Amino acid sequence: MRNLIAFIRKYSFFFLFLGVETLAFYLIIKNNHFQGSSFLNSTNQLTGGIYTRYAELGDYLHLKEVNDALSDENKRLRENQIRSFERLFGENILVKDTIFKRKYLYTKAKVINNSTHRQNNYLTLNIGSRNGIENGMGVVGPNGVVGVVKNVSDHYASVVSVLHREAKISVKLKNSSYFGSMQWDGEDYRTVMLKDIPNHVQMNEGDTVVTSGFSSIFPEGLNAAVIKTFHVPEGENFYEIKMQLLNDFKQISYVYVLKNNFSSEIKELESGSEESND
Amino acid sequence: MIKNIITYPFQFVLFVLLQVLILNNIQLGGTINPFLYILFILWLPIETNKALVMGIAFVFGLSIDVFTDTMGMHASACVFLAFARPFMLNILAPRDGYELNVSPTAGALGWFWFIRYAAIGIFLHHFFLFFVEVFRFTEFFDTMGRVLASSVFSLLLISLAQFFTSNTEEKR
């Protein structure tokens, strides 16, 4: 017994190291599994508040880019406005629409924290569950897909960026409607990979890739990326495609969160038909 | 001693804010990120209790983690650095040992000594940090490349920081 105590005392520093390191790893692993319940992350009040202040400081530096993006967007919206269409019949319009029902609701949000250099990147937004944000909602930027909401607190939301090794987004070629999945290889924040496109499909460099609408997170036909290079590796059935992202993830500062009004209905229906198959 | 009680907490806050607000936004070539903050641990006085250094390192790393959403990652790397620090100081000790009340800076122990000390510390910290981040050994050389590249960049920044502060220390 005395030997044991002497042993522990002799190597006490090492045992202390093991103890503290175990605690650190416990935090890492716990955080990976239950991020939602973890209290200490960038959506809490203190760090979220500091990031908000800091993002406000940085706003001035990005005003030019933001203005450009906004005016582009305004232009696009104006073009679609009712005033830019010519009226063909009569003066009165009766709006009693049973054909169209609003499917997607947009909420504007400001990015208060963002990263592009890690293997798994996240964004933090300045809106949370009090603004009606829920887990699993899609996030789009001025030029297309940005990510999917992962965690929400009262006032902030954490978003899994497209630049996340585990993020897969269902997309299709705009010309031919062949669908595949968009993934990041963790190398360059401007390029992503497109997987699962069979080798007989015709395509060109510069072709646009849009969301497929299968996941019901994003509406169909939302811009995602353009094809940069493609080739078929020898003996493979699928293309290896590199795409250029349309959003500049280093400059992104305003985004929109999408709420799909029908998502619960779709999920219910799909899970119902899966059960009846079994 | 009283000076230390004021200086080190101030440095603590300064290094955390500098790292999360400024340096985390600097990336060379997309993936290389400098980590200046470990200079805080390297700079702690030599005769500081080893266990105390470890405790400080854990809290220090954790405060970086809270900002970057990487719970425990920086803390574990900092604790590893705090564990290795006494051995590093031992290996690099001058023949007749350290003088009393000397801090491990270039001003007190010379540039050659400091660069070696910082290089070993930075490499150990980055090695631990990057491998905990990917959590697998399959892409060993890929990760190792990032460790080395970031280490060089961090060493450059830390030497710069040391260069700008060593003058003021001599004046004191």
Side-chain angles (χ1 to χ4, degrees):
Chain A
M1 189 63 200
R2 196 188 293 159
N3 281 345
L4 182 68
I5 292 171
F7 176 78
I8 290 176
R9 185 167 289 176
K10 191 176 173 195
Y11 295 102
S12 61
F13 185 53
F14 181 68
F15 284 113
L16 179 71
F17 168 67
L18 278 189
V20 182
E21 202 65 281
T22 313
L23 182 61
F25 271 88
Y26 169 73
L27 283 174
I28 294 175
I29 287 157
K30 175 171 174 271
N31 190 56
N32 283 346
H33 279 237
F34 312 104
Q35 260 165 345
S37 60
S38 173
F39 165 67
L40 288 168
N41 59 31
S42 79
T43 55
N44 79 36
Q45 286 297 324
L46 173 71
T47 56
I50 290 181
Y51 270 134
T52 313
R53 297 278 138 65
Y54 187 66
E56 279 168 7
L57 276 179
D59 278 352
Y60 285 106
L61 302 174
H62 295 295
L63 275 183
K64 193 175 170 299
E65 289 86 359
V66 172
N67 276 342
D68 284 349
L70 279 179
S71 65
D72 278 352
E73 208 169 355
N74 275 342
K75 176 181 155 286
R76 245 178 291 140
L77 292 175
R78 268 165 212 267
E79 280 170 355
N80 293 333
Q81 227 178 5
I82 195 88
R83 256 182 279 159
S84 46
F85 293 88
E86 204 173 12
R87 184 173 296 154
L88 293 177
F89 305 103
E91 286 292 313
N92 301 324
I93 308 170
L94 180 66
V95 181
K96 199 174 182 183
D97 205 340
T98 51
I99 299 178
F100 289 100
K101 188 167 186 293
R102 181 177 286 280
K103 188 176 177 192
Y104 288 99
L105 255 178
Y106 284 67
T107 312
K108 118 180 153 57
K110 184 161 166 35
V111 178
I112 59 168
N113 185 27
N114 186 9
S115 71
T116 55
H117 64 283
R118 280 189 245 144
Q119 294 291 304
N120 297 321
N121 293 294
Y122 296 89
L123 299 96
T124 313
L125 308 182
N126 70 339
I127 52 173
S129 56
R130 296 253 171 110
N131 308 76
I133 306 305
E134 290 161 20
N135 285 353
M137 285 183 174
V139 178
V140 299
N143 299 312
V145 179
V146 168
V148 178
V149 175
K150 174 87 186 287
N151 278 320
V152 255
S153 66
D154 280 356
H155 300 101
Y156 300 100
S158 178
V159 176
V160 176
S161 162
V162 170
L163 306 179
H164 188 292
R165 292 293 289 270
E166 311 291 323
K168 283 180 192 167
I169 288 167
S170 174
V171 291
K172 64 178 185 184
L173 297 171
K174 199 175 183 179
N175 297 339
S176 55
S177 295
Y178 279 98
F179 65 90
S181 77
M182 182 162 88
Q183 288 172 37
W184 191 46
D185 54 2
E187 278 171 18
D188 186 349
Y189 73 92
R190 284 166 299 193
T191 54
V192 286
M193 312 291 286
L194 175 57
K195 302 261 169 82
D196 306 336
I197 300 285
N199 61 6
H200 60 82
V201 179
Q202 294 285 325
M203 66 176 87
N204 294 309
E205 282 172 18
D207 277 2
T208 311
V209 175
V210 296
T211 52
S212 68
F214 291 165
S215 60
S216 81
I217 295 173
F218 296 106
E220 188 184 342
L222 202 71
N223 283 350
V226 291
I227 291 173
K228 201 170 158 194
T229 58
F230 60 91
H231 72 278
V232 183
E234 215 162 302
E236 294 278 336
N237 290 327
F238 296 98
Y239 274 112
E240 200 176 292
I241 306 173
K242 277 198 167 176
M243 303 190 293
Q244 176 108 34
L245 282 169
L246 291 170
N247 280 319
D248 186 342
F249 274 77
K250 279 223 181 217
Q251 287 195 341
I252 213 154
S253 52
Y254 284 94
V255 293
Y256 305 94
V257 183
L258 290 169
K259 178 183 165 65
N260 184 346
N261 287 332
F262 300 152
S263 67
S264 58
E265 189 180 332
I266 293 172
K267 265 179 207 148
E268 211 172 286
L269 178 68
E270 284 179 351
S271 66
S273 39
E274 267 165 30
E275 272 166 27
S276 61
N277 273 346
D278 293 341
Chain B
M1 188 61 208
I2 292 188
K3 200 183 77 187
N4 285 357
I5 290 176
I6 301 165
T7 318
Y8 285 100
F10 176 72
Q11 273 190 12
F12 185 106
V13 177
L14 187 78
F15 272 118
V16 170
L17 291 182
L18 197 66
Q19 183 67 40
V20 297
L21 294 184
I22 296 171
L23 292 174
N24 278 354
N25 294 320
I26 298 176
Q27 287 102 37
L28 286 188
T31 49
I32 303 168
N33 196 187
F35 296 107
L36 178 67
Y37 71 93
I38 56 170
L39 188 52
F40 173 74
I41 298 168
L42 294 176
W43 263 354
L44 288 173
I46 288 175
E47 67 271 20
T48 320
N49 187 321
K50 291 188 287 187
L52 183 64
V53 172
M54 192 163 280
I56 293 174
F58 180 71
V59 177
F60 184 63
L62 211 58
S63 17
I64 300 274
D65 282 329
V66 172
F67 280 97
T68 53
D69 265 0
T70 51
M71 220 50 224
M73 231 170 68
H74 287 280
S76 66
C78 283
V79 166
F80 182 65
L81 177 63
F83 175 67
R85 205 181 91 116
F87 299 104
M88 284 155 53
L89 287 170
N90 254 343
I91 292 168
L92 295 171
R95 204 176 307 147
D96 38 2
Y98 295 102
E99 287 168 38
L100 217 61
N101 292 328
V102 161
S103 0
T105 59
L109 290 157
W111 272 100
F112 182 58
W113 184 89
F114 180 76
I115 295 282
R116 280 189 299 166
Y117 172 64
I120 299 174
I122 292 165
F123 176 76
L124 290 178
H125 171 271
H126 286 23
F127 183 84
F128 202 90
L129 180 71
F130 280 67
F131 276 97
V132 169
E133 187 191 15
V134 297
F135 227 80
R136 57 184 160 229
F137 281 105
T138 46
E139 297 161 355
F140 183 83
F141 291 103
D142 195 43
T143 314
M144 202 61 195
R146 289 195 293 136
V147 170
L148 289 176
S150 278
S151 296
V152 170
F153 197 22
S154 296
L155 183 61
L156 212 68
L157 258 181
I158 283 184
S159 308
L160 260 179
Q162 174 69 82
F163 181 74
F164 283 119
T165 49
S166 59
N167 281 340
T168 55
E169 234 164 66
E170 275 160 10
K171 268 181 211 157
R172 246 182 246 158

